[in-house]
Amino acid sequence: MYEEAGNSNLLMLLNTAVYPFLAAAIITLLGKVKPNLSLFGLGAGFLVALILIHSGLNFPPSKALDFLVTAVIFGWLATLISQLKISKNAQLAVQLALFGLGFYWLLNPVLQHQSQATSIIWAIVSAVAVVLSTQLQLLTSSKEHSHAPMASLAIVAGATAPVVAIGGSLLIGQLLGGVAASVVGFILVQRFVIKSSSINGLLLGNMILAGLLAQAHVLADLPIWTMLIAFLAVQATSFSQKAFTEDGTVIRTIIALIPQMVISALIAGLSLWSVWPESSLY
């Protein structure tokens, strides 16, 4: 019995952390050929986690979690839009449309029993939150050397994973762990191999993180304030960079991330306390 439990824990660790990390790191190496291709590593790492953890994955999508594949696709497209030589307002409008459609697909399978208006409102609010959050992170970061904003996503996803797993959905909690591992693999290759900023992954990373947190509320019935505060916690790095300038060096990046670590730990601790089951987990 104990051997089976050990094997199960090892498999969970591999699927949640090791394989997504390796997939993200290896495919991010495409950035050595062309910088824009590195973004495929971040998406691939999460998709590997999704395939391994969500064993019933269907494509074309048929269930709510299946549409996380489309969230990755829309995140890629939104990033490509941001690189086109069109006006900033046009970029934002297209990104809002893409993310709005993405969130509608992510949440409508569950919300449709209420009304289409509810699904549309959720989609619009979620899309606006992702785009505005990303813009604030970009405004407070150095595009040439910055890794702290992406690292903040990994910290928030990792800190939120046990909250979601214990509070309502082990599967979504594992996927949040997969996001954290994928982001770490992406950052490390960008920083030490490609020697380029990882900030180009913000739109995609925010889309995936927000999508999982929204689904955790809708599918697993976790408190909306818990998921909203967790997502907004990524902005801690934006404000800390005002006080601690990040120049791309490892030490300065870690210093800029200290407020993020502290705030994320406090939020995770409070959230765990609020969702902890009354009866024993065992």
Side-chain angles (χ1 to χ4, degrees), residues 65-76:
L65 289 175
D66 297 339
F67 284 99
L68 287 167
V69 175
T70 62
V72 175
I73 295 172
F74 286 140
W76 277 330

Side-chain angles (χ1 to χ4, degrees), residues 24-35:
I26 292 170
I27 298 179
T28 301
L29 288 171
L30 291 173
K32 292 286 286 185
V33 180
K34 190 175 182 181

Side-chain angles (χ1 to χ4, degrees), residues 131-145:
V131 172
L132 289 181
S133 178
T134 304
Q135 291 303 310
L136 181 56
Q137 288 170 297
L138 290 172
L139 286 173
T140 55
S141 302
S142 167
K143 293 187 178 182
E144 294 182 359
H145 303 289

